[in-house]
Amino acid sequence: MIGRYAKLNVYQEIFNQEDFFKLAGGAALIPVAMMIHALDISPVAGISLTQVILLVSVAVNGFPIVVEAVKGLIAREVNVDELVSIAIIACVLNGNFLEAAVVSAIMVFGALVEEAVSDSARDAIKKLVEVTPKTALVERGGKAVELPVEKIRPGDVLPVREGEVIAADGVVLEGRAAVQEASLTGEPLPVKKEAGDEVFAGTACAEGYIKIQAVKVGKDAAIGKIITLVQGAEQSQTKGARIVDRYAAWFTPVILSAGLITYLVTGDINRAITVLIVGCPCSFLLAGPVTTVAAVGRAARSGILVKGGQYLENIAGATLFCFDKTGTITTGQPVVTEIIPADGVD
C-alpha cells in the first residue's frame, strides 16, 4: 500500500472518508490501550485487554498493508509493502503489539496525507476546468441554439454576448467587444476585439457583442492544453521521485537481510525486529511525490502553470529569471492611486 501506491493520483480510488475514520479509529485505540495498561487492569479469562485492543488496531490499519504486500508478491513485485508487512507480523508474533499498532498507523497516515495533498492539487485543476462554460450558443439552421461545449465543432459560428465566456478558440467574424483575457495571459485590462482578431476559450466578453467562428475546441483549445499540462505535471515523476523508486527496489531486501543477520549474530529477535521497524522508509518514499503534488497544486492556485515536476527541481539551479508581461509578477489588478485634475478643474 505504501510503496506500491506511493505515486501521484493512485490514492484517489483507495482512500475515502470511510478509510479516514478507520485510520482514526484504529489509531485512537493505541492511547486507550496504554491507559488500560497504566491502570493495571487485570486480564479477563487470562486474556490481556490491552493486547486485545492493540491487536484490533493492528487489524484495522495493518491488515490492508499486508494484503497489498501479498498482491505484490503474487505479481512478483518487491516493494516496501513487504518490508512493512514483515515488520508488523514479526512484532505481533513476538508479542510487540504496541510497536505493530504504531507502525501500522504511521504508514497508513502517511499515505492518507499524500491523498489529501493530491486532492488539493486536483482542486486547483478543477478550477481551471471551471473557467470554460458547460454550454454555449451555436448557430444552427439560422438560429442560435444552446449546446453542450462537447458538441461544438471547428467551423461552428458562436454568438457571444456581454458577460458570457467564450467556449472555443476562434476568429471574430463580426462585431466588437472588450474581452477579459486574464485567465490566460494575466493581463488585467480587457482587450479590444473586432473582425479578424483571435479569441480564446475561457476568456470573457466584458463589453460588446461578437460572432466568432470556432477553430479549436475542447483539449485542442489553449485552455484545454493548459489543463492537460497541469495534469501531466501532477502525474510526472521528478528526478528525486525516480530515485526513490529505485531506492525502494533494493532497500527492502537489504533491510530484510540486515534484520536476519542481526538475529543470527545476536540471537535476539527483538533487535532484529527493531532493525525492520527502523528500516520502514515511509517518510523518504512519500517525500518526493508529496512535495511535487503540493507544489504543482499551490502554483496552479496562484495562477502559475508548471509543465512538470522536474522543472520545479531545475529552478533550484536557476540563476536568471525572465518575465514577459504584466500580471506575471504583479497582482494584475490595477487600482487608482492618485487623482490629478486638469488645469482649471476643481
Side-chain angles (χ1 to χ4, degrees):
M1 176 180 292
I2 305 303
R4 186 162 294 103
Y5 295 109
K7 297 179 181 178
L8 308 183
N9 270 340
V10 178
Y11 289 115
Q12 187 171 7
E13 300 299 330
I14 297 177
F15 283 104
N16 50 37
Q17 191 174 25
E18 180 182 355
D19 291 299
F20 172 78
F21 286 115
K22 285 181 180 178
L23 166 64
L29 292 175
I30 298 175
V32 171
M34 296 304 296
M35 290 176 60
I36 293 176
H37 178 73
L39 294 174
D40 196 21
I41 297 177
S42 301
V44 179
I47 300 176
S48 171
L49 185 57
T50 300
Q51 293 181 351
V52 171
I53 294 175
L54 289 174
L55 280 174
V56 173
S57 176
V58 174
V60 171
N61 290 327
F63 182 72
I65 299 176
V66 176
V67 170
E68 295 302 331
V70 172
K71 290 181 180 179
L73 291 175
I74 294 175
R76 297 181 180 180
E77 296 178 3
V78 177
N79 211 292
V80 291
D81 292 336
E82 287 72 31
L83 172 59
V84 175
S85 298
I86 292 174
I88 292 172
I89 294 172
C91 285
V92 172
L93 293 179
N94 195 50
N96 303 110
F97 303 115
L98 176 60
E99 289 80 356
V102 171
V103 169
S104 300
I106 290 176
M107 293 300 176
V108 178
F109 177 73
L112 196 60
V113 168
E114 181 177 1
E115 169 59 8
V117 176
S118 297
D119 282 342
S120 176
R122 283 190 288 271
D123 287 341
I125 295 174
K126 289 178 182 177
K127 290 180 180 179
L128 286 176
V129 175
E130 291 170 358
V131 169
T132 56
K134 292 181 172 57
T135 61
L137 291 177
V138 181
E139 288 192 353
R140 294 285 171 85
K143 296 182 179 180
V145 295
E146 188 172 4
L147 296 176
V149 292
E150 293 82 5
K151 293 187 177 181
I152 298 175
R153 298 291 180 265
D156 283 342
V157 176
L158 285 66
V160 182
R161 299 169 296 192
E162 184 174 320
E164 293 182 342
V165 178
I166 298 172
D169 289 1
V171 178
V172 178
L173 296 177
E174 61 179 73
R176 291 184 177 182
V179 177
Q180 179 60 263
E181 297 182 336
S183 59
L184 284 181
T185 66
E187 292 288 354
L189 301 178
V191 180
K192 292 182 179 180
K193 299 290 184 179
E194 55 187 20
D197 290 337
E198 285 186 316
V199 291
F200 303 96
T203 59
C205 179
E207 182 182 348
Y209 172 84
I210 52 176
K211 279 187 179 181
I212 70 169
Q213 185 174 43
V215 176
K216 295 180 180 179
V217 298
K219 293 183 178 180
D220 294 328
I223 189 67
K225 291 180 179 179
I226 290 174
I227 294 171
T228 301
L229 281 176
V230 176
Q231 290 174 332
E234 187 196 7
Q235 295 170 354
S236 67
Q237 286 186 311
T238 64
K239 179 180 179 181
R242 291 191 296 270
I243 292 174
V244 166
D245 288 340
R246 294 197 299 269
Y247 166 88
W250 60 262
F251 181 79
T252 297
V254 167
I255 293 298
L256 292 176
S257 300
L260 178 60
I261 293 173
T262 300
Y263 175 71
L264 294 176
V265 172
T266 65
D268 189 343
I269 187 64
N270 288 317
R271 292 188 179 183
I273 292 175
T274 300
V275 172
L276 296 180
I277 293 176
V278 172
C280 294
C282 179
S283 58
F284 185 77
L285 290 170
L286 292 177
V290 168
T291 51
T292 299
V293 176
V296 170
R298 180 66 181 85
R301 289 195 299 274
S302 300
I304 303 171
L305 303 175
V306 183
K307 187 176 180 180
Q310 62 270 30
Y311 302 109
L312 289 174
E313 290 188 347
N314 292 341
I315 291 177
T319 58
L320 178 66
F321 292 88
C322 299
F323 301 96
D324 62 343
K325 59 179 65 179
T326 58
T328 303
I329 56 176
T330 62
T331 60
Q333 297 177 344
V335 295
V336 177
T337 59
E338 185 179 0
I339 298 177
I340 303 176
D343 293 339
V345 178
D346 294 332

